[in-house]
Amino acid sequence: MPGKPSTSATVLDVLHVIISEDPTERTIIKLAIEGSTNVDLMFDPLTLAKLQAILIKVDSLQAQAQTTQ
């Protein structure tokens, strides 16, 4: 969201991904970050679909860049 402050953190590992079989429930991605706190990212189905689409696009762009080197 434009204008909102943000915090950067290096992700060290993906600890868990919890995807419910109920499409109305959230997906949780638990990340290990630097420091003593882990982060739980909770996605509603629409937001998760947006993230998946972005990751597919980035993966495709990276694959194209690697084949042209």
Side-chain angles (χ1 to χ4, degrees):
M1 309 232 164
K4 286 182 79 172
S6 63
T7 301
S8 296
T10 300
V11 176
L12 303 174
D13 197 5
V14 176
L15 301 175
H16 299 286
V17 176
I18 302 168
I19 301 173
S20 173
E21 292 184 19
D22 182 345
T24 63
E25 292 185 5
R26 295 176 180 247
T27 294
I28 301 170
I29 300 174
K30 181 184 263 312
L31 304 174
I33 62 169
E34 292 178 327
S36 61
T37 304
N38 290 328
V39 174
D40 293 345
L41 302 176
M42 295 184 282
F43 296 88
D44 62 71
L46 180 58
T47 304
L48 182 63
K50 289 178 183 179
L51 176 62
Q52 289 172 320
I54 291 167
L55 292 174
I56 289 168
K57 184 175 181 178
V58 168
D59 187 50
S60 175
L61 292 172
Q62 286 179 335
Q64 290 173 11
Q66 288 180 357
T67 59
T68 58
Q69 293 180 2

